[in-house]
Amino acid sequence: MLSRTADNLYWLARYVERADFLARIIKAAQRLATLPASYSGTGTEWESALESSGAAQGFRATRGTPEEASVVDYLTFAPDNPSSICNCIKFARANGRAVRTALTAEMWEAINGAWIELGRFEAGNNGCSRYDREALSHFFEFVQKTSLDYDGSVDRTMLRNDAYWFSRVGLYIERADNTARILDVKYHVLLPQNETVGGSLDYFQWTAILRAVSSLTAYHWVYRESVKPWLIADLLILKKEMPRSLIACYGNIVHFLDAIGDAYGRAGASQRQAHEVMARLANATTDEIFKTGLHEFITAFVEDNDRLGQTINGQYLLH
Amino acid sequence: MLEPRCFDEMTLADGAIRPVYGKIASWLAATPAGLLAARRAQAELLFRRIGITFAVYGEGEMDGAERLIPFDIIPRMMLRSEWTLLEAGLEQRVKALNLFLADIYGAQEILKAGRIPAGLVARNAEFRPEMVGWRVPHDIYVHIAGIDVVRTGEDDFYVLEDNLRTPSGVSYMLENREVMIRVAPDLFAEHRVAPIENYPDALLAALRSLAPPAAGGEPTIVVLTPGRFNSAYYEHSFLADKLGVELVEGGDLLVDDDVVYMRTTEGAKRVDVIYRRIDDGFLDPRAFNRESIIGVAGLMGAYQAGNVTVSNAVGTGIADDKAIYTYVPEFIEFYLGETAVLNNVPTWRCREPGALRYVQEHLADLVVKEVNGSGGYGMLVGPHASKAEREVFAAKLARDPDNFIAQPTLALSTTPTFFDAGIAPRHVDLRPFVLTGANGIRVVPGGLTRVALKEKSLVVNSSQGGGTKDTWIVEDSIFDESPAPQSQNQSQSTS
């Protein structure tokens, strides 16, 4: 297939996944922000939201102190934030439009329909001067439904060939990045009880993390006990059953990259790197991770994941 | 001012309904306006969801500039016998145009015979000297032609212009049909309309037949688009999809040692046939416009080495020039020894002093067109222009008469068109698509009907607010009404 087509499919998947993640991050932060000050611990949930979404630098350069309304606007509708939800959906659709022929009718309808709907939300937002929580909650519902629609249409209608594999690789690279980011920002509240860092550890902070990756219920099913921070780390890093865990993402990345390598009759640097990261995750234990440092572990992972993205780019997408 | 009455394709001057519109007239009478409006809304929704949009040049690019071409849900009707005549005329015309191109880039017999002014060719901006003395595969230059035909009476059809470069609109022809089947299934079923859905297959067969011999049995075909900001991008992607071939941009192709490759995830892959939707001038920055960023450097070399087929051939623009147009009936006579089946619209060539004088004296009655203009730009519709507009145009004409032709304002036929305020007649034209390959000539029955939505407007171009209709070719016999055959239901007997 055309390298450009693979590139567009890869990024289409990434942008849809990113939009979904942003919606979850904001919702989780909103919940924290509604708690009485004595419950919410640090009171820096909007800074965290900016950090987790990778938008902190851009925000600081153009806006003032992070406050709910300004942060939410920056992450949802702001045209000048390249990773705002609106821009993610627009980029996703622009990528889709560039490769119309590689999309099934259902995929196109999902992404094009979302883009049309987005126009209505934008108009509503522009016509509204106050911070409207109800309108926002409709908006987040729409964003999450968009990712479900798109993802479902990919799963149900795409041929299982390289186009599908590149799309899936994009999805899981993005998802791994998102999960790792939220762990990175919140690592200090996930440390074992006796190693407090940076102030009060808080149940609500922990559950907010789980909500952001839609795993609160999953947590209970897996561990059958109340929320413990080190178990959250275990769940999001090492539990294969958890679809957003780093190891589950890499299981998929390895699988789809291998499928590409097999179909093309040769594997390369991206297959090798993916297998290395996977092996590291498969051999890791929570104890070890905490011993060597959660923060260090996550930082190294984010770098590896970025590097793999660049390798895939060089090997397949930029010919 | 009282306009002379135009030929309406449904209702004659005495109020009688032409038989071909019989069922349409009853359908319109029986369907409440609200229901028609609902069907139109349904059709629009379908178009919007499929993403059939076009961009208008000069508007913002990223957002909002994607528009729907208005679609009218009342089909434009034509009898098979009328179509058969058109089809013969179209085939004859395209055959002669191909012979003209082979001649002009070859022996130039027509110039030697003095049948057309040599300067008309040599000084034409669309003439490509690079193509002289070099034979394209099977001597076929125009593989896809869109010939615009207008009607002025029961038996009067005229060719308005030939589009031989990268004619567009075929995706609307095909999608209009799909949408009509969905919004008016009963009406459609009753008419037994000649199918057009085989167009992509016919196009693919034509393109395959033109592949260079080196391609072997399975040529790799691609559609080359300027990119997603092009106004016809939807059509490019639509065609690539229906053909089952890659839609490529210039950046996806590279030329190595006179062979064209596309960049794929598995490395470079050889390309044999390029159905290009990019104008000659932008195809190859090495051969033509150096500034072109949508072309492929070295493509002309590969083309002339015979390693890739470019479709349509480079240099076809010389034959659809509006000044050349006036000579097409003579081409038919010169190359085929036949009389043209389809007439040209009578045309004054302003390059000829007598004609120029006539045009200058009758500017208010004529349509004056720039020889190289397209899309309805660069033209003056005399009767509808203001005095000031006419004066500006008269000055342009005086400065460069060679660059203009003039035609009478034809009383283009009208067909019933649906508006919120009711059904009203609007002017239409027809663009059938003519395919020519080594395997022969094919025209799918019908074409894209374009309709001028503004009252009294004669400009049907979509870039100027025109709309489209589905075109239904129906058998003449369908109106010798026999009762519909019994439906053949599965028998319900139990054993």
Side-chain angles (χ1 to χ4, degrees):
Chain A
M1 69 187 300
L2 283 181
S3 300
R4 183 174 52 82
T5 306
D7 187 57
N8 288 130
L9 285 168
Y10 173 87
W11 282 104
L12 168 51
R14 288 196 69 159
Y15 281 121
V16 171
E17 182 68 16
R18 192 174 297 174
D20 177 77
F21 176 67
L22 287 168
R24 290 174 196 282
I25 289 258
I26 301 168
K27 278 169 65 180
Q30 274 182 326
R31 262 187 103 96
L32 276 183
T34 56
L35 290 171
S38 56
Y39 290 77
S40 62
T42 62
T44 55
E45 51 278 351
W46 294 111
E47 272 160 46
S48 303
L50 286 170
E51 294 289 348
S52 320
S53 58
Q57 256 191 339
F59 184 91
R60 273 195 291 271
T62 54
R63 311 290 202 271
T65 331
E67 280 160 16
E68 177 160 357
S70 61
V71 172
V72 171
D73 177 69
Y74 192 71
L75 295 179
T76 51
F77 292 101
D80 61 328
N81 172 12
S83 276
S84 68
I85 291 177
C86 276
N87 278 329
C88 284
I89 293 176
K90 285 178 188 171
F91 291 147
R93 197 261 185 181
N95 274 290
R97 189 160 182 268
V99 288
R100 270 294 296 270
T101 52
L103 306 187
T104 62
E106 288 84 354
M107 288 162 72
W108 171 250
E109 284 192 14
I111 196 65
N112 193 48
W115 178 74
I116 293 168
E117 186 81 20
L118 180 69
R120 284 195 272 277
F121 278 108
E122 275 187 308
N125 182 61
N126 291 340
C128 179
S129 52
R130 68 192 174 84
Y131 181 69
D132 184 343
R133 282 194 181 74
E134 199 175 325
L136 277 169
S137 93
H138 289 305
F139 178 66
F140 295 140
E141 254 171 55
F142 150 74
V143 175
Q144 289 180 260
K145 190 166 170 313
T146 295
S147 73
L148 288 174
D149 278 358
Y150 178 72
D151 202 42
S153 68
V154 170
D155 184 55
R156 300 181 70 123
T157 63
M158 256 187 122
L159 277 177
R160 265 37 175 185
N161 57 16
D162 45 0
Y164 174 76
W165 300 326
F166 280 112
S167 168
R168 284 319 200 194
V169 169
L171 162 71
Y172 289 110
I173 293 266
E174 180 68 28
R175 187 177 286 177
D177 183 65
N178 292 337
T179 301
R181 275 172 189 281
I182 195 158
L183 283 170
D184 196 27
V185 172
K186 298 279 187 177
Y187 79 93
H188 53 88
V189 297
L190 293 179
L191 296 177
Q193 274 164 316
N194 51 355
E195 292 186 38
T196 54
V197 169
S200 58
L201 303 185
D202 195 329
Y203 172 84
F204 296 99
Q205 288 280 357
W206 306 332
T207 54
I209 298 171
L210 289 172
R211 272 184 218 287
V213 292
S214 60
S215 330
L216 189 51
T217 315
Y219 176 94
H220 292 291
W221 278 100
V222 172
Y223 298 104
R224 303 206 171 269
E225 58 172 304
S226 57
V227 177
K228 306 260 172 39
W230 56 93
L231 290 181
I232 294 178
D234 183 57
L235 180 72
L236 296 188
I237 300 172
L238 297 178
K239 270 283 172 280
K240 288 196 174 100
E241 301 90 322
M242 167 61 205
R244 283 173 197 274
S245 71
L246 302 186
I247 196 165
C249 291
Y250 263 77
N252 282 300
I253 291 170
V254 161
H255 172 74
F256 291 116
L257 281 175
D258 282 350
I260 293 167
D262 288 349
Y264 292 173
R266 58 171 182 266
S270 38
Q271 280 82 6
R272 206 165 49 243
Q273 281 179 27
H275 277 278
E276 279 166 18
V277 176
M278 182 65 191
R280 215 169 307 138
L281 289 168
N283 294 327
T285 62
T286 18
D287 280 353
E288 235 179 54
I289 291 174
F290 281 121
K291 232 174 262 157
T292 53
L294 176 61
H295 180 60
E296 288 73 13
F297 182 87
I298 295 294
T299 310
F301 176 86
V302 169
E303 281 167 14
D304 285 344
N305 193 51
D306 265 3
R307 196 173 312 121
L308 177 59
Q310 286 159 22
T311 306
I312 291 169
N313 229 9
Q315 190 176 342
Y316 295 112
L317 310 181
L318 293 173
H319 268 270
Chain B
M1 188 181 91
L2 250 176
E3 296 247 326
R5 199 193 145 81
C6 316
F7 175 70
D8 187 81
E9 298 186 9
M10 181 164 88
T11 315
L12 296 172
D14 61 5
I17 301 291
R18 291 177 68 240
V20 67
Y21 273 89
K23 289 179 178 174
I24 299 290
S26 343
W27 176 64
L28 291 176
T31 313
L35 191 53
L36 287 176
R39 288 189 200 278
R40 185 183 57 188
Q42 190 193 349
E44 261 170 27
L45 191 67
L46 285 169
F47 281 118
R48 185 77 67 188
R49 279 179 55 197
I50 309 168
I52 309 183
T53 55
F54 76 110
V56 178
Y57 289 120
E59 295 188 11
E61 298 225 303
M62 189 64 188
D63 290 319
E66 286 172 35
R67 289 220 210 130
L68 286 185
I69 294 187
F71 172 70
D72 184 59
I73 56 166
I74 307 177
R76 196 255 185 103
M77 307 297 295
M78 203 175 278
L79 285 175
R80 170 67 75 174
S81 54
E82 296 169 329
W83 171 251
T84 304
L85 177 86
L86 277 184
E87 193 182 22
L90 294 165
E91 288 192 21
Q92 181 196 48
R93 193 171 176 101
V94 170
K95 219 182 273 177
L97 285 164
N98 267 313
L99 289 166
F100 167 71
L101 283 160
D103 184 26
I104 268 314
Y105 291 120
Q108 303 201 327
E109 301 287 352
I110 199 163
L111 297 183
K112 288 174 193 155
R115 299 293 288 269
I116 60 170
L120 207 54
V121 174
R123 281 198 295 278
N124 194 305
E126 292 302 317
F127 182 68
R128 303 272 170 250
E130 298 85 349
M131 297 296 289
V132 172
W134 176 73
R135 292 179 69 175
V136 300
H138 305 274
D139 288 332
I140 303 168
Y141 286 76
V142 178
H143 316 130
I144 302 108
I147 310 290
D148 293 346
V149 176
V150 295
R151 180 171 204 176
T152 58
E154 190 67 57
D155 301 311
D156 308 312
F157 292 92
Y158 295 97
V159 173
L160 193 61
E161 68 183 47
D162 306 293
N163 296 281
L164 309 177
R165 301 173 210 194
T166 55
S168 61
V170 79
S171 59
Y172 299 101
M173 173 183 89
L174 293 167
E175 292 287 26
N176 284 355
R177 175 63 50 85
E178 295 306 312
V179 167
M180 273 315 282
I181 292 175
R182 284 172 78 167
V183 301
D186 291 335
L187 189 71
F188 182 77
E190 279 171 28
H191 278 89
R192 303 294 182 92
V193 180
I196 53 174
E197 67 203 36
N198 55 337
Y199 177 86
D201 272 350
L203 173 59
L204 188 62
L207 293 172
R208 288 177 65 114
S209 76
L210 297 161
E218 274 304 321
T220 300
I221 298 170
V222 297
V223 175
L224 175 60
T225 173
R228 63 178 183 273
F229 297 123
N230 184 268
S231 66
Y233 177 74
Y234 169 74
E235 174 152 307
H236 307 159
S237 68
F238 174 91
L239 285 171
D241 196 29
K242 296 288 170 192
L243 293 171
V245 306
E246 295 287 358
L247 177 67
V248 303
E249 296 177 12
D252 296 322
L253 299 181
L254 68 128
V255 179
D256 185 27
D257 200 14
D258 281 345
V259 174
V260 181
Y261 299 93
M262 59 178 164
R263 301 167 204 268
T264 78
T265 50
E266 293 173 86
K269 185 174 182 203
R270 185 172 174 145
V271 172
D272 304 300
V273 181
I274 300 177
Y275 174 20
R276 49 85 174 234
R277 298 294 297 258
I278 292 183
D279 290 336
D280 284 358
F282 295 98
L283 265 185
D284 180 352
R286 224 174 273 165
F288 304 115
N289 184 347
R290 270 158 223 295
E291 310 285 299
S292 172
I293 50 164
I294 56 175
V296 186
L299 179 57
M300 272 306 278
Y303 181 38
Q304 299 202 302
N307 291 331
V308 71
T309 300
V310 174
S311 180
N312 288 342
V314 173
T316 54
I318 179 76
D320 74 1
D321 180 281
K322 290 188 181 71
I324 293 285
Y325 156 87
T326 62
Y327 295 94
V328 176
E330 279 151 275
F331 297 166
I332 293 172
E333 200 201 310
F334 184 78
Y335 295 112
L336 301 174
E338 297 171 7
T339 315
V341 176
L342 285 174
N343 288 318
N344 267 8
V345 176
T347 305
W348 288 272
R349 300 165 182 149
C350 301
R351 56 174 27 255
E352 295 168 4
L356 176 63
R357 209 169 319 116
Y358 180 88
V359 172
Q360 284 169 330
E361 282 161 14
H362 297 86
L363 213 49
D365 308 320
L366 299 172
V367 179
V368 190
K369 295 175 177 174
E370 230 172 288
V371 169
N372 272 311
S374 74
Y377 295 100
M379 69 189 265
L380 175 84
V381 181
H384 297 171
S386 67
K387 191 155 178 286
E389 284 168 330
R390 283 202 299 270
E391 276 164 7
V392 170
F393 213 86
K396 283 209 280 188
L397 179 59
R399 260 200 310 277
D400 186 12
D402 285 14
N403 197 30
F404 294 91
I405 56 154
Q407 294 168 338
T409 47
L410 288 186
L412 298 193
S413 61
T414 55
T415 66
T417 303
F418 176 72
F419 295 94
D420 290 330
I423 294 158
R426 286 292 183 274
H427 296 295
V428 289
D429 78 352
L430 177 68
R431 175 175 291 181
F433 294 90
V434 184
L435 297 171
T436 310
N439 56 342
I441 301 188
R442 287 283 297 275
V443 197
V444 297
L448 180 67
T449 289
R450 299 186 298 176
V451 50
L453 295 176
K454 271 186 267 169
E455 201 176 352
K456 291 180 186 162
S457 169
L458 294 167
V459 182
V460 295
N461 302 73
S462 49
S463 48
Q464 309 257 311
T468 68
K469 283 168 170 286
D470 193 11
T471 312
W472 289 7
I473 308 294
V474 295
E475 301 301 325
D476 298 48
S477 61
I478 201 168
F479 302 101
D480 318 334
E481 208 36 61
S482 53
Q486 283 295 310
S487 64
Q488 302 196 352
N489 290 330
Q490 185 178 22
S491 79
Q492 299 292 314
S493 65
T494 51
S495 51

